[in-house]
Amino acid sequence: MKIKTTKYLNLIILFLLVQYTCGQKKSNYAKYSRSISKKIYLNNDTILYYSKKLEQSKDSCIIYNEINFEAKAKYLEGDYKTAEQKSLQVLEDLQKTKKNCLIVTKSNALNRLFWIYKNKKQYNEAYQTAIKRKKVIRGFGRNHILSDINTISAEINLAIIKDILGFHEVSRAVYKRAIESLPETYQKLIEKKYYTNTEEAKYFMLRNQSAFLNLLGESYLNYHKSFDSTDLDSASFYFKKAYDIAKQFDPKHENTETLFQLREANVLVARGEYEKSLEVINKYSKNQKKFNTSQNINSLKAICFHNLNNSDSALVYAKKYLKNYRSKEINKRKLITIYDILANQYHIKQKLDSAFKYSELTLNEIKILEKNKNSVNKTHFLYNKKNIEDLNKKILEKERFDYQKLIGFIIIFTLLIIVFFVRKSKKITTHLSKVEKFDQQKVNPTAKKEYNINIEIEDAILQGLKDLKNSSNFLKSDFNIKILADELNTNTTYISYVINKKFQKSFKEYLTEIRIEYLINKLEKEKDHKKYTIKFLGEQIGYTNASAFTRAFKKYKGITPSEFIKNLG
């Protein structure tokens, strides 16, 4: 009997030891998982070290969490292909799971995919991924401990895409709401004992607040109205708030001050304060390799030197940027700017082959960028351009067919008129030839090339047009689009595109309008102008021929200059 008792006692002790050991292992896995979460922004080697520890677990939640962490590490290295594969693997394997911890893992995998697609400028895929993530989060249930924080994160994902598409006010409102809601959200996580201590919760809350504030600052910086100091003041304000919060991180991030100062350097560039920007850049260039800021610094220096007319230095840093550029880099807007700088600098140096090469590269990158934007525009309701096309393919085909029939009818009708009247007289023939030429232009317009240019170039051109109206250059008889392009340091194609997009006019129509409006203003405010001859009035706004001036005025106002002056009394 004593032997049996001893045997059972030994079995109980063994069972307790096994339970204790397993419990310790689970505890260790949880500890490793938290270690990764806390150090995930600091060191990839650390992430991978703890990931390997998690591989030994037999718990599916921990195993798939480990794959997510590996995807994160690869993402931070810039290896988007591997990061995407690992994230997709998680989603494929967990397609039908109903286990809460694995639903959280799916949400994290979708978040990783969102950032991969967004950074690769695959905006449609990023948008669709964010929508999928929201659906997954709904599976958490209202009382799930991580429901609120995941919902905030998913809303931020969508706001980023809205920002890119031009809905800046909507996006900024989401960022601000998210920042305000974080303290309460993290307090709930503390109360529900998700975090082991308040310091850990505080770290994650501050990290997210700082990230969202930087998103807000970048929204004001990247999409500010030309030379609008209010937007740039807002960008600086939110960057500073993000920096002040980041200084409270524990453990501290070594690159906090450098990243903040480089954001400020970008703001100074947007303000046109290039020398000040260079001072900041040079001061915070020492640790560029350590903090991975080399490319940011190269691009900023190229922009500053270009605008300070230091051609040699602009070329040096632009080439340096291209030499170190890797296709996995996320900032295509910087690449476009660098190509444009090289095109302009080679144009100045009269190296036309190189200028043409980089001009073509600029346009190609712009087309890719806009194509990616348009792909997401066509799949959801967010973007509402003035001239948005009907997304229904059948309707588009029908409209095309109807248009072609109309064109065919106009051509046949025009030819019949020509055949009928061609024999009348030379005068009529000449006149009808002009009509035919005009009609043919209407019928078969030259295919309009759609140039999509980035917002900085577009804003600079719009500001240039605004400045033009405040000058007297456009009143000169020899003023034309090429002169304006040279003044704005751009090309005629961009100017034509922006004027057409913004005002639905050709450059010639736009120039006629501002000239005549200038004259009308003079006639209404200065009585002496009413006494001048029509020829003299035309010459005042660049017309060397009184008849041409009268025709232009009547086409614009519907009455002749003489009639307009008479109506003024």
Side-chain angles (χ1 to χ4, degrees):
M1 186 76 182
K2 190 174 181 182
I3 294 169
K4 280 188 177 182
T5 306
T6 306
K7 183 180 177 183
Y8 289 133
L9 185 61
N10 288 337
L11 284 171
I12 291 167
I13 291 168
L14 180 63
F15 174 76
L16 290 172
L17 282 170
V18 169
Q19 288 298 310
Y20 175 76
T21 305
C22 291
Q24 283 292 97
K25 282 187 177 179
K26 284 186 179 181
S27 175
N28 284 338
Y29 293 138
K31 183 177 73 176
Y32 297 149
S33 183
R34 288 192 182 280
S35 293
I36 295 175
S37 297
K38 191 152 187 176
K39 297 178 182 179
I40 205 158
Y41 285 97
L42 302 179
N43 188 304
N44 277 12
D45 292 335
T46 305
I47 299 170
L48 292 171
Y49 169 79
Y50 283 112
S51 289
K52 294 297 177 187
K53 296 279 187 184
L54 293 178
E55 276 182 354
Q56 300 164 24
S57 172
K58 293 181 180 179
D59 186 325
S60 60
C61 291
I62 292 172
I63 291 168
Y64 283 106
N65 222 14
E66 182 274 327
I67 298 171
N68 265 349
F69 286 137
E70 276 193 70
K72 173 75 175 183
K74 293 298 178 184
Y75 169 84
L76 291 175
E77 288 174 4
D79 184 357
Y80 291 158
K81 186 177 179 181
T82 305
E84 183 180 354
Q85 286 171 348
K86 287 185 175 295
S87 299
L88 289 172
Q89 178 194 334
V90 170
L91 294 172
E92 178 66 25
D93 291 354
L94 304 182
Q95 203 169 9
K96 295 179 180 178
T97 187
K98 291 183 180 179
K99 202 173 178 180
N100 267 341
C101 65
L102 294 178
I103 293 173
V104 173
T105 302
K106 280 175 69 175
S107 173
N108 292 336
L110 286 164
N111 185 45
R112 180 61 39 233
L113 279 175
F114 168 83
W115 285 103
I116 291 166
Y117 294 141
K118 182 263 177 186
N119 290 343
K120 287 166 71 176
K121 302 296 180 283
Q122 295 175 351
Y123 298 126
N124 187 42
E125 289 82 352
Y127 176 79
Q128 298 292 355
T129 301
I131 294 296
K132 284 178 189 173
R133 189 178 178 210
K134 285 196 78 174
K135 289 179 182 176
V136 167
I137 291 166
R138 287 193 200 109
F140 283 11
R142 287 184 181 180
N143 296 322
H144 191 284
I145 195 167
L146 293 177
S147 177
D148 290 347
I149 194 65
N150 273 267
T151 299
I152 290 170
S153 177
E155 290 297 335
I156 289 288
N157 290 165
L158 288 171
I160 288 166
I161 299 299
K162 290 178 185 179
D163 219 356
I164 290 165
L165 297 179
F167 290 83
H168 313 308
E169 294 303 321
V170 174
S171 298
R172 291 165 191 170
V174 173
Y175 298 149
K176 289 172 184 176
R177 281 200 305 272
I179 293 161
E180 289 170 5
S181 66
L182 285 174
E184 184 183 345
T185 303
Y186 277 92
Q187 184 56 41
K188 286 180 183 177
L189 290 171
I190 293 168
E191 289 168 3
K192 292 179 180 179
K193 302 193 182 324
Y194 179 75
Y195 288 104
T196 53
N197 59 68
T198 54
E199 286 304 309
E200 190 178 8
K202 182 183 175 184
Y203 171 79
F204 285 110
M205 182 191 74
L206 292 176
R207 196 179 71 186
N208 279 325
Q209 280 183 327
S210 181
F212 297 167
L213 283 163
N214 278 324
L215 283 173
L216 196 49
E218 283 162 12
S219 176
Y220 282 106
L221 173 62
N222 293 333
Y223 307 109
H224 73 280
K225 301 178 185 75
S226 270
F227 303 101
D228 187 330
S229 61
T230 307
D231 277 355
L232 294 177
D233 288 344
S234 295
S236 278
F237 173 78
Y238 288 112
F239 286 149
K240 179 67 168 60
K241 280 192 79 171
Y243 171 58
D244 288 340
I245 287 173
K247 285 191 290 186
Q248 301 174 46
F249 289 173
D250 181 22
K252 294 187 181 301
H253 293 193
E254 290 180 324
N255 61 357
T256 296
E257 185 174 7
T258 297
L259 295 181
F260 165 65
Q261 294 295 345
L262 289 179
R263 286 188 177 99
E264 280 300 297
N266 274 289
V267 174
L268 289 169
V269 165
R271 292 187 193 278
E273 297 178 28
Y274 305 111
E275 288 180 352
K276 281 187 180 179
S277 183
L278 278 173
E279 287 176 18
V280 174
I281 296 162
N282 289 330
K283 187 176 177 182
Y284 290 91
S285 296
K286 295 173 187 176
N287 294 317
Q288 55 185 289
K289 285 187 179 178
K290 183 179 178 183
F291 297 151
N292 197 28
T293 57
S294 301
Q295 284 295 74
N296 193 7
I297 287 167
N298 288 335
S299 64
L300 280 169
K301 284 189 172 182
I303 293 165
C304 290
F305 285 124
H306 171 68
N307 284 283
L308 291 169
N309 298 317
N310 186 333
S311 186
D312 291 337
S313 294
L315 283 171
V316 166
Y317 285 102
K319 287 178 181 176
K320 206 171 178 182
Y321 180 89
L322 287 186
K323 183 181 177 183
N324 296 313
Y325 183 80
R326 299 288 179 271
S327 58
K328 66 188 180 185
E329 289 187 31
I330 65 176
N331 204 328
K332 292 290 183 183
R333 291 177 69 184
K334 281 186 183 173
L335 180 64
I336 290 166
T337 301
I338 294 300
Y339 280 153
D340 194 49
I341 286 170
L342 287 166
N344 279 284
Q345 290 300 333
Y346 281 122
H347 179 71
I348 290 166
K349 288 180 176 290
Q350 294 297 302
K351 294 183 179 180
L352 300 183
D353 287 345
S354 295
F356 179 77
K357 170 189 167 184
Y358 286 110
S359 182
E360 285 290 294
L361 286 169
T362 304
L363 285 173
N364 287 338
E365 286 296 334
I366 289 167
K367 285 176 189 173
I368 292 167
L369 191 63
E370 290 303 315
K371 183 182 177 183
N372 289 336
K373 282 188 186 180
N374 291 338
S375 68
V376 67
N377 296 338
K378 290 176 184 178
T379 56
H380 62 81
F381 63 91
L382 287 174
Y383 199 49
N384 187 26
K385 277 185 176 179
K386 279 185 183 178
N387 300 317
I388 193 167
E389 292 180 353
D390 193 327
L391 300 181
N392 189 314
K393 197 174 180 182
K394 290 180 181 178
I395 294 174
L396 276 175
E397 287 172 354
K398 183 179 182 302
E399 286 176 350
R400 230 179 264 121
F401 178 70
D402 290 344
Y403 179 73
Q404 287 168 354
K405 284 201 299 185
L406 176 64
I407 296 305
F409 175 78
I410 293 171
I411 291 171
I412 294 166
F413 185 73
T414 303
L415 289 172
L416 286 172
I417 292 173
I418 293 167
V419 170
F420 181 79
F421 286 103
V422 75
R423 298 177 187 139
K424 291 288 183 180
S425 67
K426 282 186 179 181
K427 187 176 179 181
I428 294 175
T429 304
T430 304
H431 176 69
L432 287 174
S433 296
K434 289 179 181 177
V435 172
E436 180 192 12
K437 188 176 178 183
F438 176 73
D439 283 347
Q440 289 293 342
Q441 286 173 348
K442 281 168 61 179
V443 172
N444 293 312
T446 304
K448 202 173 187 183
K449 197 169 184 180
E450 188 68 20
Y451 289 97
N452 295 301
I453 63 177
N454 68 9
I455 194 164
E456 287 91 349
I457 298 172
E458 186 174 327
D459 284 349
I461 290 171
L462 289 171
Q463 182 61 38
L465 294 172
K466 187 178 177 182
D467 294 340
L468 176 68
K469 290 171 77 172
N470 296 327
S471 72
S472 58
N473 291 348
F474 68 93
L475 301 175
K476 296 173 184 176
S477 59
D478 62 346
F479 183 80
N480 57 40
I481 193 169
K482 190 177 183 310
I483 291 171
L484 179 59
D486 290 341
E487 286 177 0
L488 299 182
N489 198 21
T490 186
N491 59 57
T492 56
T493 306
Y494 283 1
I495 292 174
S496 294
Y497 171 73
V498 171
I499 290 173
N500 184 264
K501 178 184 173 185
K502 187 72 177 176
F503 306 106
Q504 290 78 53
K505 294 180 177 68
S506 66
F507 172 79
K508 188 177 178 182
E509 290 169 334
Y510 179 78
L511 181 60
T512 299
E513 180 181 315
I514 63 173
R515 281 175 166 177
I516 291 172
E517 285 296 334
Y518 172 87
L519 179 62
I520 288 170
N521 188 49
K522 285 280 186 186
L523 289 168
E524 288 175 343
K525 291 183 177 179
E526 298 178 20
K527 293 181 180 179
D528 290 345
H529 264 67
K530 298 175 191 175
K531 300 173 185 176
Y532 297 142
T533 64
I534 298 301
K535 185 176 185 300
F536 180 80
L537 290 174
E539 287 172 351
Q540 294 295 297
I541 59 171
Y543 288 91
T544 55
N545 182 290
S547 299
F549 164 60
T550 301
R551 284 197 302 274
F553 193 99
K554 187 172 182 181
K555 185 177 179 183
Y556 177 63
K557 292 299 290 181
I559 57 175
T560 65
S562 301
E563 291 169 333
F564 181 83
I565 293 167
K566 188 177 178 182
N567 290 340
L568 285 175

